[in-house]
Amino acid sequence: VIEKGLPTAGLLAYIMVSKYADHLPLTRLEGIFARHGISLSRKTMAGWVDTVASLLEPVVMAMLAVVLTSLKLHTDDTPVPVLDRTRDRTREGRLWVFVGDEEHPYIVYGYSPNKKQDFILKVLGNYEGYLQADAAPGYDALFAKATLSEVACWMHARRGFFDAKGSDELRALTAMAFIRLLYAVEKEAKGLLSRLHPLAADT
């Protein structure tokens, strides 16, 4: 897999799955290998991970292309601390997720060094369909497009009522009860929009 490299495809797959699916940091993997009598430094494994990530990039881009053909698409971002040797503290990067609909069931992750809208515009700038996201300002330029429909998130809306329980418990709990009923409707209607895809496209 790696030119002039010693690791087999199986070993590389084991390391990647352990790190990204089982959430085992390379330092812990180093200790696991050591208990089996195998000397394998995390620095070496980090180099392998970087190489495998580059090799898998065409696969990820192909998956993203499929996700972007979804009638409805979900996206969100999570802040992550990033080491920066030019600073005396970490800076904040962003991990993004893009989730396709039932007919395009891939989940693709991306990374940006900040929350500026440049990254999301690059990924979703040509997307046409229903986009569900939070109310972050970075999406405003996307939602201004006529070819894209904004779908708000009830979970984000619910948080405001949850936080308001202390000041107006009755109305806050009433609103949360109505939202729960909406969740039941969504559960019953799950997949309906995809099945109506041709009709939805015409309307």
Side-chain angles (χ1 to χ4, degrees):
V1 178
I2 299 176
E3 187 176 357
K4 298 182 180 179
L6 295 176
T8 63
L11 175 59
L12 293 173
Y14 173 79
I15 291 172
M16 297 295 283
V17 170
S18 297
K19 177 173 171 59
Y20 293 106
D22 300 330
H23 310 291
L24 293 174
L26 295 179
T27 181
R28 194 173 298 170
L29 278 172
E30 184 180 37
I32 292 171
F33 284 127
R35 287 199 301 272
H36 292 285
I38 302 168
S39 178
L40 190 54
S41 74
R42 57 183 178 273
K43 182 178 180 181
T44 297
M45 287 188 283
W48 292 350
V49 167
D50 183 55
T51 301
V52 172
S54 297
L55 292 171
L56 290 175
E57 186 173 358
V59 177
V60 174
M61 297 309 294
M63 291 171 64
L64 180 61
V66 172
V67 166
L68 292 177
T69 62
S70 298
L71 177 63
K72 53 186 172 123
L73 191 152
H74 303 264
T75 184
D76 202 357
D77 64 290
T78 301
V80 290
V82 180
L83 291 175
D84 188 339
R85 300 190 186 280
T86 65
R87 304 172 57 174
D88 58 359
R89 64 185 184 281
T90 60
R91 58 180 172 79
E92 189 177 86
R94 294 276 164 174
L95 282 177
W96 299 80
V97 62
F98 305 96
V99 183
D101 59 20
E102 291 87 351
E103 295 178 2
H104 311 88
Y106 289 134
I107 300 174
V108 179
Y109 293 91
Y111 168 79
S112 66
N114 51 53
K115 201 178 180 178
K116 292 180 179 178
Q117 64 180 8
D118 302 18
F119 176 79
I120 201 70
L121 284 173
K122 180 179 178 182
V123 177
L124 298 178
N126 294 320
Y127 175 68
E128 299 180 1
Y130 298 91
L131 179 65
Q132 183 171 33
D134 60 22
Y139 297 110
D140 290 347
L142 283 174
F143 292 143
K145 296 174 52 179
T147 56
L148 190 146
S149 299
E150 178 180 3
V151 180
C153 175
W154 272 112
M155 184 169 288
H156 284 87
R158 183 184 181 278
R159 287 180 191 168
F161 294 107
F162 181 86
D163 294 339
K165 284 194 305 179
S167 59
D168 193 339
E169 185 175 23
L170 178 60
R171 287 196 291 180
L173 290 176
T174 301
M176 290 168 63
F178 281 124
I179 293 172
R180 184 175 183 180
L181 291 175
L182 285 174
Y183 284 168
V185 172
E186 287 182 347
K187 184 176 181 180
E188 185 178 345
K190 188 175 182 180
L192 180 61
L193 187 59
S194 293
R195 292 196 296 273
L196 293 176
H197 190 165
L199 179 61
D202 290 338
T203 58

